[in-house]
Amino acid sequence: MGRILAIDYGNKRVGLAVTDPLQLIATPLETIHSQDLLSYIKALHAREPLSALVIGMPKTLLNEATDSTSAVVGVVRRLRKDFPELPLHEIDERYTSRMAHAAMLAGGLSKKDRRDKATVDRVSATLILQSFLESR
């Protein structure tokens, strides 16, 4: 059983999270530049075969597209083309940034660390992945 990789896509940065080999626990992985996403996934998949991808789909409170939705849809198309063997699941990512801030506050991270957008992106990806794991 391979790991599942979660993606919190942004125009500048991408937060990544991954499961353990048994697909029970979601763990923050890394924050990378959005231009490096496909090459990063290819390298990771070559080292450790993945069994699925999960990507957060941005929506408004009224379940409508946001300014970021079209960029994420483009990434989804590219991922499906480059990794046809991997199932790709889209997860509603509403509130993940707010939940990430709350989780970091509860975890005792300093104010400086909570302001680090790369950390927020990693935690958001972890929350997206955990939500997917719980929904199965």
Side-chain angles (χ1 to χ4, degrees), residues 38 42 53 73-86 88:
L38 294 173
K42 285 177 185 174
L53 300 171
V73 168
V75 170
V76 166
R77 278 193 205 115
R78 186 67 196 265
L79 289 169
R80 286 199 168 119
K81 179 182 170 210
D82 289 2
F83 303 98
E85 74 282 7
L86 293 178
L88 178 63

Side-chain angles (χ1 to χ4, degrees), residues 36 51 53 78 98-99 108:
D36 301 330
S51 63
L53 300 171
R78 186 67 196 265
R98 186 175 296 151
M99 290 167 51

Side-chain angles (χ1 to χ4, degrees), residues 58-79:
K59 304 259 175 136
T60 67
L61 294 177
L62 299 174
N63 203 27
E64 297 170 348
T66 69
D67 297 341
S68 305
T69 304
S70 62
V72 175
V73 168
V75 170
V76 166
R77 278 193 205 115
R78 186 67 196 265
L79 289 169

Side-chain angles (χ1 to χ4, degrees), residues 4-101:
I4 300 171
L5 178 70
I7 303 163
D8 180 29
Y9 186 82
N11 290 324
K12 293 180 183 177
R13 287 176 315 280
V14 178
L16 300 171
V18 70
T19 64
D20 62 304
L22 296 176
Q23 300 180 358
L24 299 173
I25 300 168
T27 306
L29 182 60
E30 203 167 338
T31 302
I32 61 172
H33 194 279
S34 59
Q35 294 175 338
D36 301 330
L37 178 62
L38 294 173
S39 60
Y40 184 92
I41 294 173
K42 285 177 185 174
L44 178 65
H45 191 40
R47 274 193 326 268
E48 278 186 64
L50 300 170
S51 63
L53 300 171
V54 176
I55 190 164
M57 186 58 68
K59 304 259 175 136
T60 67
L61 294 177
L62 299 174
N63 203 27
E64 297 170 348
T66 69
D67 297 341
S68 305
T69 304
S70 62
V72 175
V73 168
V75 170
V76 166
R77 278 193 205 115
R78 186 67 196 265
L79 289 169
R80 286 199 168 119
K81 179 182 170 210
D82 289 2
F83 303 98
E85 74 282 7
L86 293 178
L88 178 63
H89 306 279
E90 298 173 17
I91 298 293
D92 184 347
E93 71 168 27
R94 281 180 278 192
Y95 303 115
T96 54
S97 292
R98 186 175 296 151
M99 290 167 51
H101 282 287

